[in-house]
Amino acid sequence: MRPIEFTLNGARARVTVEPHETLLWVLRQRLAATEVKSGCERGDCGACAVVLDGRAINSCLALAVQAEGKSVLTVRGLGGPEAPHPLQATFVELGAAQCGICIPGMLVSLYAFLQEHPRATRGEIREAIGGNLCRCTGYQKIVDAAEAAARRLVGATE
């Protein structure tokens, strides 16, 4: 067992982990971050996506020890019901969220992508979520919401 420390949604997190434990497992089982969903656990579906130091990753493929000293952002860290992030608000407004399994990963993946590409095209948005699988809605509403949120975010900075 090894103690590690990182920032989780802006708060310091200290936890003792086994060297083989994935970040997904530690987030969900040790830190009760159940908003991070467990899907395929092979890096195929993106349900477990989190933002690690500004980059979206599949937490099922990262070892928890790789988060040492870094910043981890989950969908809970984007915003909450009282103050949702524009991505979250737009997903709700446009009906882009269905069962909730893929949406946390979609949102954090889009968050990281739009930080780097605030004026992304529809095609670029579709490509950015290529690693996030949705089994419910298809992608039309998700991409519509991402585009609308991107416009809001760019408008907020101009």
Side-chain angles (χ1 to χ4, degrees), residues 2 26 44 56 63 88 98 111 147:
R2 175 182 164 190
V26 169
D44 291 336
L63 295 174
Q88 294 168 311
Q98 291 291 313
Y111 171 81
E147 267 190 305

Side-chain angles (χ1 to χ4, degrees), residues 60-99:
C60 69
L61 297 180
L63 295 174
V65 293
Q66 293 175 291
E68 170 73 33
K70 297 182 178 175
S71 174
V72 176
L73 179 73
T74 72
V75 72
R76 188 176 293 173
L78 286 182
E82 296 81 26
H85 185 275
L87 272 166
Q88 294 168 311
T90 308
F91 266 61
V92 170
E93 290 167 15
L94 298 182
Q98 291 291 313
C99 79

Side-chain angles (χ1 to χ4, degrees), residues 108-131:
V108 296
S109 293
L110 285 165
Y111 171 81
F113 176 72
L114 292 175
Q115 292 289 306
E116 294 291 320
H117 307 91
R119 297 182 188 281
T121 66
R122 187 172 184 85
E124 291 167 334
I125 290 170
R126 291 185 70 84
E127 190 172 316
I129 58 170

Side-chain angles (χ1 to χ4, degrees), residues 16-150:
T16 302
V17 302
E18 294 284 352
H20 65 275
E21 290 176 339
T22 65
L23 182 56
L24 170 64
W25 195 88
V26 169
L27 289 171
R28 288 185 55 86
Q29 304 302 320
R30 297 255 170 88
L31 298 171
T34 55
E35 70 275 18
V36 182
K37 301 303 179 193
S38 177
C40 67
E41 298 189 15
R42 297 184 319 209
D44 291 336
C45 73
C48 66
V50 299
V51 178
L52 181 66
D53 273 357
R55 190 171 142 243
I57 65 161
N58 289 327
S59 62
C60 69
L61 297 180
L63 295 174
V65 293
Q66 293 175 291
E68 170 73 33
K70 297 182 178 175
S71 174
V72 176
L73 179 73
T74 72
V75 72
R76 188 176 293 173
L78 286 182
E82 296 81 26
H85 185 275
L87 272 166
Q88 294 168 311
T90 308
F91 266 61
V92 170
E93 290 167 15
L94 298 182
Q98 291 291 313
C99 79
I101 296 297
C102 73
I103 296 305
M106 287 274 185
L107 287 169
V108 296
S109 293
L110 285 165
Y111 171 81
F113 176 72
L114 292 175
Q115 292 289 306
E116 294 291 320
H117 307 91
R119 297 182 188 281
T121 66
R122 187 172 184 85
E124 291 167 334
I125 290 170
R126 291 185 70 84
E127 190 172 316
I129 58 170
N132 297 86
L133 303 180
C134 172
R135 296 177 180 99
C136 298
T137 66
Y139 296 88
Q140 186 71 34
K141 288 184 176 181
I142 291 170
V143 175
D144 290 347
E147 267 190 305

